[in-house]
Amino acid sequence: NPFTSKYGKDRTDEFLVADSLAGDKLALENLILRHQDWVYNIAMRMVYNTEDAKDITQEVFIKVITKLSTFKGESSFRTWVYRIAFNHILNFKKSSAELTRDTDFESYGNSIDNCPDYEIHSEMNLGFNTEAVVEEVKLSCMYGMLLCLDREQRMVFILGLLFGVTDTVGAELLDISKANFRKK
């Protein structure tokens, strides 16, 4: 496969950017493939809709491609892409999940309190994996609580706690100080 042999993991983003700007379409494709899953995952966690997340990812990479010649290497290429993604996501229209859910902690807490409380005992044979269901409910609760945050707060939470980026990387991505990233 010429794609793999010419552009393996050993090629840095900076080399791929230079090759892309010189007209190498395979280099550009490889550059996009390296970063699209991460952008999609952040978009998905921000808007909670697969179609919107796909649209965001596509729109971000259209911006990346059209603005590639403006990349000056003052930060890593990854940081540059994620700043474009972050700004695009902050300005993206609110998704239906964001509009239809209770978007403050008090309302969300009340909706949780009003759910029936069923005890599931380990000796009950319910025909499904209760551990998987419990994990799914935990994730659902976390996503619901994330919707109570504004988009910038949500981005900080997603980067820091879900993706585990350091305060140095988070500060660089969001163009804020490390102390401010930790505080947020």
Side-chain angles (χ1 to χ4, degrees):
N1 182 343
F3 179 78
T4 309
S5 61
K6 186 173 180 184
Y7 297 110
K9 292 183 181 185
D10 58 328
R11 297 289 294 188
T12 66
D13 287 343
E14 288 70 26
F15 281 113
L16 293 173
V17 168
D19 289 351
S20 297
L21 291 172
D24 189 331
K25 291 179 182 169
L26 284 176
L28 181 61
E29 182 179 350
N30 188 262
L31 201 55
I32 291 168
L33 289 172
R34 279 190 183 176
H35 300 281
Q36 74 180 4
D37 287 346
W38 208 83
V39 170
Y40 174 80
N41 285 329
I42 288 177
M44 187 62 193
R45 285 176 170 80
M46 289 294 291
V47 298
Y48 305 101
N49 178 294
T50 55
E51 291 307 312
D52 285 346
K54 287 177 185 176
D55 289 346
I56 287 170
T57 303
Q58 183 176 16
E59 290 163 9
V60 164
F61 283 103
I62 288 171
K63 287 180 180 182
V64 166
I65 292 167
T66 58
K67 295 180 178 193
L68 190 59
S69 64
T70 68
F71 174 66
K72 303 294 181 215
E74 295 166 358
S75 63
S76 72
F77 179 75
R78 175 173 284 205
T79 299
W80 184 75
V81 169
Y82 298 150
R83 279 191 190 142
I84 292 171
F86 176 73
N87 290 329
H88 187 80
I89 290 168
L90 285 181
N91 295 316
F92 191 76
K93 67 179 173 45
K94 287 198 178 267
S95 70
S96 59
E98 289 176 288
L99 294 172
T100 59
R101 292 217 177 179
D102 296 323
T103 55
D104 64 68
F105 286 110
E106 185 177 344
S107 299
Y108 192 71
N110 289 335
S111 69
I112 290 172
D113 289 341
N114 291 328
C115 287
D117 190 14
Y118 299 109
E119 182 118 358
I120 298 176
H121 299 285
S122 58
E123 62 272 356
M124 296 172 75
N125 185 3
L126 300 173
F128 57 84
N129 182 341
T130 55
E131 288 178 18
V133 171
V134 168
E135 284 304 310
E136 191 67 32
V137 169
K138 285 180 187 178
L139 286 173
S140 180
C141 285
M142 182 186 64
Y143 289 140
M145 290 188 311
L146 280 173
L147 286 173
C148 297
L149 303 173
D150 66 36
R151 282 186 172 180
E152 184 177 14
Q153 292 168 328
R154 202 176 323 146
M155 182 66 79
V156 170
F157 180 86
I158 290 167
L159 289 172
L161 292 175
L162 297 182
F163 287 106
V165 302
T166 65
D167 59 347
T168 302
V169 173
E172 188 179 353
L173 288 173
L174 303 179
D175 200 23
I176 58 177
S177 70
K178 292 191 297 186
N180 199 5
F181 181 79
R182 287 189 304 271
K183 182 179 178 183
K184 288 181 180 210

